[in-house]
Every structure is written in structure tokens, then in C-alpha cells.
Amino acid sequence: MKTECIRLDPTRGDVTLTTYLLQDSPELLAGKKRPAILVCPGGGYFNCSDREAEPIALRFAAMGYHSFVLRYSTYCEGGAFPDLSKPVTVKERDLHPAPLNDIGAAMQLLCTHSDEWLVDTDRIAVCGFSAGGHNAAMYATRWQEKGFPRPAAAILGYALTDYVFKHDFEARQEGSVTMFFHASDTAFLGTADPTEEALEDVSPARHVTKDTPPTFLWATAADELVPVQHSLLMAAALADARVPFEIHIFEKGKHGLSLADQASASALSECNPDAAGWTELAGKWLQKRFALPLPEKSAFEIMIENGGFPG
């Protein structure tokens, strides 16, 4: 595997694309291009979670896909998480649409290096979790407006998909949840009290069209930070637009499960055997669209059939 961390913006060191490229070999695909997964970690638009970065990329690499982790523009810019008990100041360069544009830049880089990296640009999926899932969903529904490369699929884990619903839900909450979302709105939109128009604009569930790629969604019914309704609203929008999708709602499990097993967990509370099944389900779903370009028989089988035994 070839790994490399590439700066997408020469003016800042926190917006990067990390490659997890599977080595080519005559015993494998022998020069054929592989599909790829572009991973967008979550973090409330404050940072990009390590738990939803490399562990996810390695899991998809184990399925036979080139993987890439995008650390897009976030409020902390690679620094410490802010004290949310204090007012969050606005940082213009990290506001929407900077995170969305970062996905576009990453996708264009994959296209530029497709021959060198053996990436099949017709089969690239965007994958994201929580705020990263929102960013991936934004890209899946708005790529054409920006003239960015079209993703072939989207994989959204406990993603925030409807800011209008979020704002209404937030108004009914108290304490730390409200504090977190007010700060996150400031980090992402520049204000803790966005207009209805601004909320609508960043609600991918309200912008699904026939051009939105096939989508895989998963979440837990017990998620108290990003309610399961976000996944359901996105699924309903996909159904209305007749976009192929698959959705899995697991009964139990906290927000931010990532792989939901010890490969991504920092505590037992981040392990959930039922929810951990999402990767196998996503793998089967992807294989319908991203099957590797495998011949019917291997070179060794052909050699044996033709009597070409090693001397």
C-alpha cells in the first residue's frame, strides 16, 4: 500500500488528502484501474475525527478499493477543540462552501492522477460520517452546480441531512446539545441563528435530484445528537427522485460509532456488534456497482489448463 499526505491548499496545512493506494501486481489486477472511496470524517465542522479517517479507509482498502481520506476545512484548522462554553468567533475561510469545495478539489485530484494511481474515475464513492456525512451529501446533491466530477455513489453514516429539521429539533433541546449546535452553526455558517434560506441551502435532503448518485445510508435509532430522522428524510427524498438507495437503521448505538468495533473505538461504548455490520452491508451494496474488473479465470488457472507447468 502506498500512503501519502498531500496538501490541497498551499496556504494551509490542515486541508489534506491522504492516499491509501493498493499496490498493483500481475497476480492481482495487472494494471487495471480500481474503484475508490473518498472518506470525509465527522467532527461537527470543528475538526476531522481520526476515528472516522484511517480506520474507515483501511476497511474499504481490505475490500479491494483504493481509499482516500479528506481532511476538509474546519474551524479548528488542525488545532485543539474549542471551549464551547465561550462564544465561537467567525473564521471566514472555514465557512460554507469551503468544505464542499475541498471535496471538489480532492475529486479533481483523483481524476488528474487516475492513470498514475490506477483509479477508475467512473467509480468513485464519497463516504462521510456525521458532519462529514453532511459534507458528502452536500457534494452528492450539488456537484453539478459547481462543475465538479460526479460521484458514482454516496455512503452516509449517521449524517446530518436537513438543517431546517435540525434547527427545529435544536429549538426543543436544552443544555449541551443546544450549545454544541449553536457553536457548530457559527463554525460552518458564520452565525448561531442562520436564516431559513441559509438552512434550506445547506440541507442536502432538500436538493436531491435525478442526478444524485445511488446512496447507502445507515444510522442508529438511539442517536441523540443527530436524530435518525435525518437519514429517513434523505431516504424519502431519494425515493421521491427515484434514486437507488439502501438504508439500515440499527436499534441501539450512540452517535459517532465509526466502524463500531475495536478498530475505531476508544472505549467500549463505541463498540456495537449489531451496528458494526454496516461495513459488510455497504460492501455488498458497493459490489453491485463497483465490482472489480476480474477475468473469469486467473493466469495460473489458464496456465494449468494449457499444460504450461513451471519447469
Side-chain angles (χ1 to χ4, degrees):
M1 179 179 291
K2 179 182 178 181
T3 61
E4 180 183 6
C5 184
I6 302 169
R7 289 174 65 163
L8 291 183
D9 185 339
T11 67
R12 56 192 298 175
D14 59 310
V15 178
T16 62
L17 183 72
T18 302
T19 69
Y20 295 83
L21 298 169
L22 298 176
Q23 296 286 356
D24 187 37
S25 166
E27 294 183 33
L28 295 171
L29 296 189
K32 295 185 178 68
K33 294 183 176 181
R34 291 178 181 269
I37 313 294
L38 178 62
V39 179
C40 298
Y45 286 110
F46 293 111
N47 59 16
C48 288
S49 167
D50 290 337
R51 294 183 51 253
E52 294 164 345
E54 184 169 88
I56 301 294
L58 292 178
R59 189 63 54 91
F60 281 117
M63 297 180 188
Y65 304 114
H66 292 313
S67 297
F68 301 84
V69 171
L70 171 63
R71 294 185 181 274
Y72 49 89
S73 300
T74 56
Y75 182 84
C76 296
E77 300 183 0
F81 202 85
D83 180 356
L84 299 186
S85 66
K86 300 177 181 178
V88 173
T89 58
V90 176
K91 295 183 179 180
E92 293 289 341
R93 73 172 184 170
D94 300 318
L95 299 179
H96 167 71
L100 173 60
N101 291 340
D102 291 338
I103 298 184
M107 289 287 284
Q108 289 174 335
L109 191 65
L110 265 59
C111 292
T112 298
H113 290 276
S114 62
D115 291 337
E116 175 190 352
W117 293 345
L118 295 178
V119 171
D120 183 345
T121 56
D122 291 327
R123 296 186 297 169
I124 301 174
V126 290
C127 171
F129 303 84
S130 193
H134 173 260
N135 201 15
M138 285 286 290
Y139 190 85
T141 55
R142 311 298 283 275
W143 61 271
Q144 67 275 38
E145 298 175 15
K146 297 274 192 175
F148 289 141
R150 181 182 186 273
I155 301 171
L156 309 178
Y158 41 90
L160 197 158
T161 71
D162 192 323
Y163 261 70
V164 177
F165 168 79
K166 181 191 81 70
H167 196 68
D168 293 341
F169 170 80
E170 189 179 308
R172 301 191 299 271
Q173 306 304 304
E174 297 179 355
S176 59
V177 171
T178 299
M179 184 185 300
F180 177 85
F181 279 124
H182 282 179
S184 178
D185 286 348
T186 303
F188 179 57
L189 294 172
T191 175
D193 188 23
T195 65
E196 192 77 10
E197 182 180 12
L199 294 171
E200 174 89 20
D201 182 56
V202 295
S203 295
R206 296 171 183 254
H207 295 277
V208 173
T209 70
K210 61 180 178 59
D211 295 319
T212 302
T215 302
F216 179 95
L217 304 116
W218 76 275
T220 64
D223 192 328
E224 295 182 349
L225 188 62
V226 177
V228 69
Q229 287 94 320
H230 282 280
S231 294
L232 299 174
L233 288 166
M234 189 68 178
L238 293 164
D240 288 342
R242 298 188 177 181
V243 174
F245 74 94
E246 186 166 309
I247 182 169
H248 297 274
I249 306 298
F250 301 96
E251 179 183 357
K252 297 181 179 180
K254 59 181 287 185
H255 184 75
L257 284 177
S258 185
L259 293 174
D261 62 21
Q262 64 180 6
S264 65
S266 63
L268 288 176
S269 60
E270 293 168 345
C271 294
N272 184 297
D274 291 335
W278 79 263
T279 56
E280 182 178 359
L281 294 166
K284 291 177 180 178
W285 180 82
L286 273 175
Q287 198 166 20
K288 300 172 189 176
R289 293 162 176 82
F290 285 9
L292 298 178
L294 299 175
E296 288 294 323
K297 296 181 180 180
S298 70
F300 183 76
E301 289 172 319
I302 294 173
M303 180 185 70
I304 295 298
E305 287 181 357
N306 293 338
F309 299 101

